[in-house]
Amino acid sequence: MEAAIEVKGLRKSFKDAEVLKGVDFEVKRGEIFALLGSNGAGKTTIVRILATLLQQDGGTATVNGFDVASKPEQVRHAISLTGQFAAVDELLTGRENLIMIAKLRHQKNPRQVADDLLNRFDLNDAADRKVSAYSGGMRRRLDIAMSLIGKPQLIFLDEPTTGLDPEARTEAWKIVKELADGGTTVFLTTQYLDEAEQLADRIAILHKGRIIAQGTLEELKKLFPPAKTEYVEKQPSLEEIFLAIIGKKEGKQQ
């Protein structure tokens, strides 16, 4: 399967702090790829580099075949980015937010685009209310809807469920699955291990500036010590795998 993202030897430092120390991974077209890591691991730095918002210090990164450093405009045309906090205008209604973005992205019929997305994301009843009155889950749905205007081939979701209650998180998960089912490549960063377990086709674990493990959930399970057989064989959760891999890596570095 053709790669949507290819990253090789990616490095980035902020003053004396080396955040990325040679990161390598690949994302296939049409898959949900989850980048796991603790706070401060460098997940958002990678997203900002791939979205052309930040220049790397070393290594290469291509998105849809375009180098992010030398061809940023072509990269931007193919992607959309939803950050940790909903980028919506609270003084406007949901409909007005969508129409505004549709006009900025030169869509032929902005009102129709807005109506279609309001229907798709179950926001019709709140369409003409100001966003300041929306719940966290509704804001997140609107934010993701706005990011889909123009039908980007690849969407970056940087910790999209941070601060959401369980019900709103479940709603967001459903949307992400629908995006992938529709052929959109999804690059998801999260610190919620159950989120990656539920959504991702493949997972990479970022720790201390490096990718220390990547693969499908089944492949990562093979890195975990064999299950103890008592009455029932217990399968490890992604959280147990994550902690075991990080602990093993830190043990080697000592």
Side-chain angles (χ1 to χ4, degrees):
M1 192 181 296
E2 190 179 352
I5 299 173
E6 289 184 281
V7 172
K8 296 179 181 177
L10 201 63
R11 294 182 175 274
K12 182 65 184 178
S13 297
F14 295 99
K15 295 184 179 178
D16 295 331
E18 192 178 17
V19 177
L20 304 179
K21 303 174 182 178
V23 171
D24 300 273
F25 64 84
E26 183 178 288
V27 179
K28 298 173 185 175
R29 290 191 187 278
E31 75 174 350
I32 301 175
F33 182 91
L35 182 63
L36 287 180
S38 308
N39 278 334
K43 301 187 302 297
T44 297
T45 299
I46 289 175
V47 169
R48 292 182 66 199
I49 290 171
L50 294 176
T52 75
L53 300 176
L54 187 66
Q55 181 77 48
Q56 73 263 38
D57 296 332
T60 61
T62 61
V63 174
N64 275 6
F66 297 107
D67 185 89
V68 297
S70 62
K71 297 186 177 179
E73 189 172 338
Q74 289 91 329
V75 171
R76 290 179 199 136
H77 280 306
I79 68 169
S80 191
L81 169 63
T82 295
Q84 297 177 25
F85 305 100
V88 294
D89 189 325
E90 295 195 353
L91 298 178
L92 300 179
T93 67
R95 190 188 308 278
E96 288 167 344
N97 267 279
L98 290 164
I99 289 173
M100 175 182 67
I101 297 301
K103 287 180 177 178
L104 289 172
R105 295 187 180 172
H106 308 292
Q107 298 297 293
K108 289 183 180 179
N109 191 337
R111 182 166 288 276
Q112 185 62 53
V113 169
D115 288 346
D116 289 346
L117 287 167
L118 288 166
N119 184 59
R120 177 178 176 183
F121 286 87
D122 196 24
L123 288 167
N124 279 320
D125 291 345
D128 297 310
R129 281 164 36 199
K130 286 189 176 182
V131 174
S132 57
Y134 280 21
S135 67
M138 291 167 66
R139 290 182 193 208
R140 178 52 73 198
R141 292 210 305 275
L142 177 62
D143 193 31
I144 295 175
M146 289 164 62
S147 72
L148 293 182
I149 293 173
K151 297 181 179 178
Q153 297 163 293
L154 192 156
I155 182 168
F156 291 98
L157 300 176
D158 189 17
E159 300 195 12
T161 61
T162 296
L164 297 185
D165 60 43
E167 184 178 0
R169 285 183 71 208
T170 302
E171 285 181 26
W173 290 358
K174 181 181 176 183
I175 291 167
V176 172
K177 288 177 180 176
E178 288 174 353
L179 292 177
D181 288 343
T184 303
T185 305
V186 179
F187 185 100
L188 170 75
T189 74
T190 182
Q191 55 183 312
Y192 298 127
L193 303 179
D194 60 332
E195 189 158 271
E197 197 164 6
Q198 287 285 330
L199 296 175
D201 297 304
R202 288 191 309 121
I203 300 161
I205 296 176
L206 182 67
H207 183 59
K208 295 188 175 180
R210 291 188 173 89
I211 300 291
I212 59 172
Q214 60 181 308
T216 64
L217 181 58
E218 290 305 313
E219 288 168 343
L220 292 180
K221 281 181 178 180
K222 292 176 183 177
L223 301 176
F224 193 79
K228 291 181 180 178
T229 303
E230 293 175 355
Y231 296 106
V232 179
E233 185 179 278
K234 180 181 180 294
Q235 290 296 318
S237 69
L238 183 57
E239 181 173 9
E240 290 171 323
I241 295 167
F242 177 81
L243 293 174
I245 290 171
I246 286 179
K248 191 185 303 180
K249 192 74 176 178
E250 288 183 340
K252 288 180 180 179
Q253 291 173 349
Q254 289 175 359

